[in-house]
């Protein structure tokens, strides 16, 4: 049986909520698995409330931060795909 990404995140968050999932490029501002797991549900709920359905492609414009990494993963977990445009680039 293959586990979903969401199930793996929830498993890691349950075992080690303070373990680091990602940091910014300089190793600052860590995003912990516990925070990531909590945000997954919030983002999916917000996307559904806005009318997103599994299979939809969503577009966000984000700076390259740990929040952007989490947003990308959260959108994918909700069953959507994501096109990310990094702000500050041409």
């Amino acid at each position: 049986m293959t586990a979903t990404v969401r199930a793996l995140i929830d498993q890691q968050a349950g075992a080690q909520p303070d373990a680091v999932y990602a940091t910014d490029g300089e190793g600052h501002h860590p995003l912990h698995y516990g925070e990531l797991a909590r945000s997954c549900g919030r983002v999916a709920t917000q996307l559904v409330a806005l009318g997103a359905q599994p299979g939809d492609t969503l577009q966000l414009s984000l700076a390259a931060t740990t929040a952007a990494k989490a947003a990308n993963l959260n959108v994918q977990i909700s069953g959507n795909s994501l096109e990310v445009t990094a702000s500050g680039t041409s």
Side-chain angles (χ1 to χ4, degrees):
M1 183 167 117
T2 303
T4 64
V5 172
R6 176 66 190 269
L8 294 171
I9 290 170
D10 288 343
Q11 179 182 0
Q12 181 66 25
Q16 295 179 304
D18 294 327
V20 176
Y21 163 73
T23 63
D24 62 13
E26 298 176 2
H28 305 291
H29 309 289
L31 175 64
H32 299 95
Y33 276 94
E35 297 168 60
L36 180 62
R38 287 187 295 276
S39 72
C40 288
R42 289 192 306 266
V43 171
T45 299
Q46 290 172 346
L47 291 172
V48 169
L50 292 170
Q53 297 182 16
D56 288 350
T57 298
L58 309 174
Q59 185 172 10
L60 299 176
S61 178
L62 302 168
T65 65
T66 53
K69 293 175 188 175
N72 184 9
L73 185 59
N74 287 323
V75 169
Q76 291 177 22
I77 287 170
S78 70
N80 302 104
S81 60
L82 179 67
E83 294 178 9
V84 177
T85 304
S87 61
T89 63
S90 51

